[in-house]
Amino acid sequence: MFRVGAHVSISGGFSNAVSREIDFGGNCGQIFVGSPRGWKVNKPDDVSVDRFKKLSSEENIGPWVVHGTYLINMATPKESLAEKSMECMQREIISTSKLGIPFYVFHPGAHTGSGVDVGIENIAKRLSRLEIPDSVTVLLENTAGKGTTIGKNFSELSRIVELSDYSYGSLGVCLDTCHMYAAGYQFGTEESIEGLVREFDKKIGFQNLHYLHINDSKYDFSSEKDEHEHIGEGKIGDKAFRLFINHRKFRDKPMVVETPVDEKGFSWNIDKLKSLRN
Ligand SMILES: [Zn+2]
Ligand SMILES: [Zn+2]
């Protein structure tokens, strides 16, 4: 079954996210559990948890994934920011588990001058200090590679897991197509996508890939710029998405779009992906 959806708002209650997903034509989805640019985390009460779970299961919407707030920086050399990040992540992971959601995804962070190796060690060390419940897998999202951000390639992601006290199972990976393209991964031809698949299999392994973010890119290949575009309307284009979403290694992974919020909307992008599906 093709699992495709969008990042939807939880405003008005968690169960509204389910209704929004249905309205957009999606059957899986992503949410924030707090404000994306703040430290506040919504603690779901029992009634809204029940409603969310019940509606998701009745309507067969899932799996869901929670996206961590953008302020989190687990790679930072600043201890105060690191403490805040760990606290926030821990609270978000608890909310994820309470909602019965199996995945939590976050951006590994930026080393801001302390170097890639120190940044990776910091992320690994701080992840080890979190309490990750058995029901949740924490996913590292690959990044576009802008500035000093960590996670622009598969090696950096796998080194974080290797150095952490947690192993795959508690940790995993989420790939974003816009970020891969901006970071210099090509997948627009049979040859390039097979190269990408081989590298991912060697460094991480497809059993550890749990979710996909399907976004086109406003900027050029290898630009290291992270700006999403509607599917097929950016630099990646229809041909590459057709290859990617139908590839035997990717086709069974749940996919969400995080495309621009404008008149086109998420339903346009979900329909577009459905039309590219073989
Ligand atoms: Zn993200
Ligand atoms: Zn993403």
Side-chain angles (χ1 to χ4, degrees):
M1 185 180 193
F2 187 26
R3 284 284 167 185
V4 62
H7 181 108
V8 291
S9 160
I10 55 162
S11 88
F14 287 96
S15 61
N16 286 6
V18 188
S19 331
R20 286 188 182 103
E21 204 60 71
I22 297 165
D23 288 345
F24 292 137
N27 57 8
C28 65
Q30 179 173 272
I31 54 170
F32 291 121
V33 289
S35 102
R37 298 181 197 281
W39 294 111
K40 196 180 154 280
V41 179
N42 286 15
K43 244 204 217 136
D45 60 76
D46 293 345
V47 175
S48 48
V49 166
D50 287 346
R51 272 200 203 126
F52 174 82
K53 284 186 179 171
K54 189 163 173 273
L55 195 56
S56 292
S57 108
E58 278 170 3
E59 301 290 339
N60 189 19
I61 307 289
W64 285 94
V65 56
V66 169
H67 196 299
T69 166
Y70 296 125
L71 295 184
I72 290 170
N73 185 355
M74 297 284 271
T76 180
K78 292 187 197 133
E79 275 316 317
S80 59
L81 177 57
E83 284 302 326
K84 266 188 163 167
S85 299
M86 281 185 283
E87 252 176 63
C88 179
M89 255 184 95
Q90 186 65 71
R91 277 181 288 143
E92 290 184 332
I93 289 168
I94 291 168
S95 294
T96 303
S97 152
K98 217 177 158 200
L99 286 159
I101 295 178
F103 305 116
Y104 171 87
V105 62
F106 78 109
H107 299 175
H111 66 71
T112 61
S114 56
V116 174
D117 291 339
V118 174
I120 287 175
E121 282 164 27
N122 276 338
I123 301 163
K125 177 179 80 188
R126 290 161 185 162
L127 278 174
S128 307
R129 283 174 51 193
L130 297 179
E131 207 163 305
I132 304 175
D134 289 343
S135 63
V136 177
T137 303
V138 172
L139 309 180
L140 300 155
E141 180 172 353
N142 69 306
T143 62
K146 190 175 172 235
T148 64
T149 54
I150 309 249
K152 62 178 184 296
N153 59 50
F154 306 153
S155 304
E156 290 182 4
L157 298 175
S158 78
R159 277 166 66 202
I160 296 169
V161 180
E162 271 164 36
L163 291 178
S164 151
D165 292 345
Y166 282 108
S167 42
Y168 287 116
S170 293
L171 300 176
V173 167
C174 167
L175 288 179
D176 184 307
T177 54
C178 169
H179 301 172
M180 275 199 288
Y181 184 78
Y185 283 103
Q186 197 75 264
F187 47 90
T189 62
E190 301 275 358
E191 201 188 342
S192 58
I193 199 168
E194 289 307 329
L196 180 154
V197 160
R198 267 196 305 277
E199 188 186 336
F200 189 86
D201 224 358
K202 197 174 131 201
K203 303 248 167 79
I204 293 166
F206 277 88
Q207 71 278 18
N208 303 312
L209 176 65
H210 297 283
Y211 231 103
L212 297 168
H213 289 169
I214 308 293
N215 305 300
D216 210 327
S217 172
K218 261 200 181 70
Y219 291 99
D220 285 330
F221 177 67
S222 228
S223 62
E224 298 192 343
K225 284 191 181 148
D226 177 6
E227 226 181 299
H228 300 179
E229 184 50 282
H230 297 294
I231 305 300
E233 311 253 298
K235 303 284 182 178
I236 297 178
D238 283 354
K239 190 190 166 213
F241 283 112
R242 192 188 293 276
L243 281 171
F244 191 86
I245 68 166
N246 291 302
H247 191 281
R248 67 190 189 285
K249 293 287 192 183
F250 297 113
R251 60 179 294 119
D252 295 328
K253 310 287 180 186
M255 309 181 190
V256 288
V257 296
E258 302 168 307
T259 42
V261 179
D262 56 22
E263 65 284 349
K264 265 210 173 80
F266 291 134
S267 44
W268 186 92
N269 285 283
I270 291 171
D271 284 348
K272 181 69 189 266
L273 286 177
K274 287 178 181 168
S275 78
L276 294 173
R277 182 79 164 183
N278 293 339

